[in-house]
Amino acid sequence: MSLVTKISSAISPSSIDNLKATIGKRGGIAKTNRFGVFMSPPQASLLNIDLQSIGVSLLSGTFDPKSLINDPRDVALLCESCSIPGKQIQTMEHSHFRQSVKIPNSYILEDIEFSFLLTNDYYIKKMFDNWTNLIIDPVTYKMNYKEVYQRDIVIQQLNEKNIPVYGIKLKNAYPVSVQAVALDNNATDSLQKLSVTMTFEDFEQEGGLSSALSGVKNAIGGITSLL
């Protein structure tokens, strides 16, 4: 072994050690299942006034007094999956002497799909049914003002201590698709879920601390709107 090779081996750590050091100094690898969602639907109520659901739970022996209060944090707990939005830059071809180059002129935002667990009171399904009814009245077919049905949504990536490390605020979001709920006699052990697609006007990147404040503000705003 030459002197150069010996020196290189002595001073150059292995690629595995480099990877471990890089991951360690940056707080570890982000986990897919560590996330938070803050979503406050419009025109919600603090008290659960769904008498039919209350009656069913009383007859079933599953009534819980806590169900009389609609907590905005329940939406986050029942959210099984979602995604942080991407951005696609649109370009146009521009001839520059003998070469054509791409010039950016706009960008496209992708809608976000949320998956929620459905409880036996169909809380999430009823919430989005009411939300979509605010967009277009199912009786008069009239479209409402956007201030009525648009809301900001905060999505956070959390670390292993459930502290936000990255956040996105979806500005002026609202549901554009509430998927059908499948019923199947053969799926005896399957959990019932609801898929909802949300669109939005734009999104704003937030750091860990600012996203935590946005989440608290969103939750407080949701609770305030319920009063």
Side-chain angles (χ1 to χ4, degrees):
M1 182 182 294
S2 65
L3 180 60
V4 175
T5 303
K6 290 181 179 180
I7 295 175
S8 299
S9 300
I11 65 175
S12 299
S14 68
S15 58
I16 294 179
D17 291 336
N18 282 336
L19 178 60
K20 289 181 178 180
T22 299
I23 292 174
K25 74 179 182 181
R26 300 192 179 278
I29 295 292
K31 302 294 181 61
T32 306
N33 65 333
R34 297 287 182 174
F35 69 96
V37 174
F38 294 87
M39 180 189 303
S40 297
Q43 294 191 4
S45 60
L46 178 61
L47 295 178
N48 178 12
I49 55 177
D50 189 346
L51 298 180
Q52 295 194 42
S53 293
I54 295 174
V56 169
S57 61
L58 287 171
L59 291 174
S60 304
T62 59
F63 176 74
D64 186 341
K66 294 180 181 179
S67 66
L68 297 176
I69 303 297
N70 289 323
D71 190 338
R73 294 171 294 183
D74 292 346
V75 178
L77 294 173
L78 293 173
C79 182
E80 185 184 50
S81 65
C82 63
S83 59
I84 293 176
K87 179 183 291 187
Q88 179 182 345
I89 302 296
Q90 284 191 312
T91 61
M92 60 180 297
E93 296 289 337
H94 175 70
S95 297
H96 182 67
F97 295 102
R98 296 181 179 178
Q99 180 181 357
S100 293
V101 295
K102 291 184 177 181
I103 305 298
N105 58 5
S106 63
Y107 59 85
I108 299 176
L109 301 176
E110 301 174 349
D111 293 341
I112 304 298
E113 183 171 334
F114 293 79
S115 178
F116 296 92
L117 294 172
L118 278 180
T119 51
N120 273 327
D121 60 357
Y122 262 46
Y123 165 65
I124 291 293
K125 181 66 167 64
K126 293 176 182 178
M127 183 190 79
F128 281 105
D129 286 345
N130 293 333
W131 196 338
T132 54
N133 288 341
L134 286 176
I135 302 173
I136 300 178
D137 191 292
V139 177
T140 64
Y141 301 103
K142 291 182 178 180
M143 187 171 65
N144 219 328
Y145 294 104
K146 64 180 183 179
E147 291 81 9
V148 175
Y149 59 81
Q150 290 183 342
R151 290 294 183 272
D152 291 345
I153 297 175
V154 177
I155 302 175
Q156 299 173 340
Q157 172 74 65
L158 309 177
N159 62 15
E160 293 187 355
K161 295 183 178 181
N162 291 328
I163 298 175
V165 296
Y166 181 88
I168 287 292
K169 179 189 291 184
L170 306 180
K171 296 182 177 180
N172 300 325
Y174 60 94
V176 292
S177 175
V178 179
Q179 297 295 320
V181 178
L183 303 174
D184 187 353
N185 277 331
N186 297 316
T188 55
D189 297 324
S190 298
L191 300 178
Q192 198 66 283
K193 302 177 184 180
L194 180 70
S195 294
V196 178
T197 303
M198 306 287 291
T199 193
F200 52 96
E201 291 184 357
D202 209 339
F203 69 83
E204 176 182 330
Q205 178 182 335
E206 298 180 319
L209 293 177
S210 58
S211 182
L213 293 175
S214 291
V216 172
K217 182 179 179 181
N218 191 295
I220 293 176
I223 295 174
T224 302
S225 67
L226 300 179
L227 300 176

